[in-house]
Amino acid sequence: MLKVGRLADYGILILHHLGRVRPARLSMDTLAELTHVPLPTVRKLMRLLAEADLVVSKRGPLGGYELARSPQQISLADAITAIEGRPALTACASDRGHCELAGHCELAGRWPGVNALILQVLERTSLQDLGAGGSLHVPPPLLREPLCPEPPGRK
Amino acid sequence: MLKVGRLADYGILILHHLGRVRPARLSMDTLAELTHVPLPTVRKLMRLLAEADLVVSKRGPLGGYELARSPQQISLADAITAIEGRPALTACASDRGHCELAGHCELAGRWPGVNALILQVLERTSLQDLGAGGSLHVPPPLLREPLCPEPPGRK
DNA sequence: CTAATCGATACCGAGTTGGTATTCAATACA
DNA sequence: TGTATTGAATACCAACTCGGTATCGATTAG
Ligand code: SF4
Ligand code: SF4
């Protein structure tokens, strides 16, 4: 658990490849071959990525997909959210999906905090950061100041 | 996805309660009633938590569970790892569980980095931090220096 | 007009997860 | 010594989610 699901994993891999050839275009067929991801799965993925405006599609011969923005401007959070929805560690940290224990649970108001924390990590790590050969450092300003997305929280 | 599974969620909730009454002991029965988690589920959880030495058990009348260390010394990573294994965003970031694409995948050596990142967040957030009413700030030294758990990685 | 390519929908099998039941072992206390 | 209380261990199961497949329709370069 606390994994990201193969779809998202594959999706990010695809985005990575699209980034490497930018601004060229790649067809689903090529992508499947390039990434060794089964073609039908690529289909499903590209639809999601296109809906989230991370890639732009072109139909017909010479068509294919192109990265919508620069690899630096696409975060892992963007990709993951596009494919499997906004990350939410617990039910009470999610928009949809209610927890029946929420009423009695003393932690119900506390989880969104940590959730936001890991969200930030994902948001501040770009495709570029992931793909580059160098050491992957996250911008310093991360988490310096106390971070409390929830007001006093005592409902 | 990118959620933590109810078991782990419940487990942490239980640990939280154990922390609040420390150094007192609580029986499974009491815990179930206190947290509204179904008793059989509590059973399964306590075994895992005990195996990981996060709690110590005492049998017989007046028996029950007691937190092994102080709430400050138990991290979310500890709890999650005890219940659902070490968090691993992708297959290639996990000890066990191989990815058949690992051979061709350009990102295979890069994921452990981000994985370590979120791991750190979880490690540096203690039960105390989660339960306390204040704003939850993570210790500053997080992520300051470049972090690259993988050597050049070019196999 | 035709071939290449994306778009949408519907479906499915397998694995995982969360939850349950039952039986045995240890210990405080009378 | 005996008994009630509590944890330990095992086996089991139903439901859901996930990853993957198949099929057909829409668009566009040449
Ligand atoms: S309310 Fe409590 S139990 Fe329900 S999801 Fe949030 S933390 Fe977990
Ligand atoms: S190897 Fe590539 S595809 Fe396999 S898990 Fe790691 S990143 Fe995902």
Side-chain angles (χ1 to χ4, degrees):
Chain A
M1 252 308 153
L2 202 77
K3 57 182 164 61
V4 55
R6 286 195 188 171
L7 278 314
D9 182 355
Y10 291 165
I12 292 175
L13 178 56
I14 287 178
L15 288 176
H16 167 72
H17 275 112
L18 285 178
R20 287 194 63 76
V21 303
R22 208 171 91 101
R25 225 187 312 264
L26 291 178
S27 76
M28 283 177 167
D29 218 353
T30 315
L31 280 171
E33 186 177 352
L34 210 50
T35 62
H36 296 83
V37 174
L39 176 61
T41 300
V42 176
R43 289 231 181 77
K44 178 180 283 190
L45 281 172
M46 297 323 284
R47 183 171 64 89
L48 295 171
L49 293 177
E51 273 177 3
D53 293 314
L54 295 182
V55 299
V56 293
S57 70
K58 181 98 181 280
R59 293 208 256 198
L62 298 183
Y65 289 92
E66 175 189 355
L67 219 52
R69 318 167 220 158
S70 122
Q72 289 119 357
Q73 293 171 320
I74 298 185
S75 72
L76 293 188
D78 290 334
I80 294 175
T81 302
I83 292 172
E84 48 190 29
R86 162 169 270 91
L89 282 259
T90 69
C92 59
S94 168
D95 349 351
R96 66 188 185 189
H98 298 265
C99 173
E100 55 274 17
L101 307 194
H104 324 286
C105 181
E106 303 186 9
L107 271 46
R110 303 292 304 161
W111 270 107
V114 275
N115 197 58
L117 250 47
I118 63 99
L119 231 308
Q120 289 212 17
V121 174
L122 268 0
E123 274 167 1
R124 305 202 173 203
T125 307
S126 70
L127 273 185
Q128 175 93 308
D129 297 334
L130 183 66
S135 60
L136 90 100
H137 76 102
V138 171
L142 177 57
L143 302 181
R144 288 319 297 281
E145 61 276 277
L147 170 153
C148 184
E150 290 293 306
R154 245 306 181 73
K155 182 191 178 178
Chain B
M1 255 306 157
L2 203 78
K3 57 181 166 51
V4 55
R6 286 194 189 172
L7 277 315
D9 183 354
Y10 291 165
I12 293 175
L13 178 55
I14 287 178
L15 289 175
H16 166 72
H17 275 112
L18 284 178
R20 287 192 65 76
V21 303
R22 208 173 91 102
R25 227 188 310 266
L26 290 178
S27 76
M28 284 178 167
D29 218 353
T30 315
L31 279 170
E33 186 177 350
L34 210 50
T35 62
H36 296 85
V37 173
L39 176 62
T41 300
V42 176
R43 290 232 180 78
K44 179 179 285 188
L45 280 172
M46 296 323 285
R47 183 171 64 88
L48 295 171
L49 293 176
E51 273 177 3
D53 293 316
L54 295 182
V55 299
V56 294
S57 70
K58 182 97 180 282
R59 292 207 256 197
L62 300 183
Y65 289 92
E66 175 190 356
L67 219 53
R69 317 167 220 159
S70 122
Q72 289 118 357
Q73 292 170 321
I74 297 184
S75 71
L76 293 187
D78 291 333
I80 295 175
T81 302
I83 293 173
E84 46 189 30
R86 161 169 271 92
L89 282 257
T90 69
C92 58
S94 168
D95 349 352
R96 66 190 184 187
H98 298 263
C99 173
E100 55 273 19
L101 306 194
H104 323 286
C105 181
E106 303 185 9
L107 271 46
R110 303 292 304 163
W111 271 106
V114 275
N115 197 58
L117 250 48
I118 64 100
L119 230 310
Q120 291 214 16
V121 175
L122 267 0
E123 272 166 4
R124 306 202 171 203
T125 306
S126 70
L127 273 186
Q128 175 93 310
D129 296 335
L130 184 64
S135 61
L136 91 101
H137 76 104
V138 171
L142 175 57
L143 302 180
R144 288 318 298 279
E145 61 277 280
L147 171 155
C148 184
E150 288 293 308
R154 246 303 182 75
K155 183 189 177 177

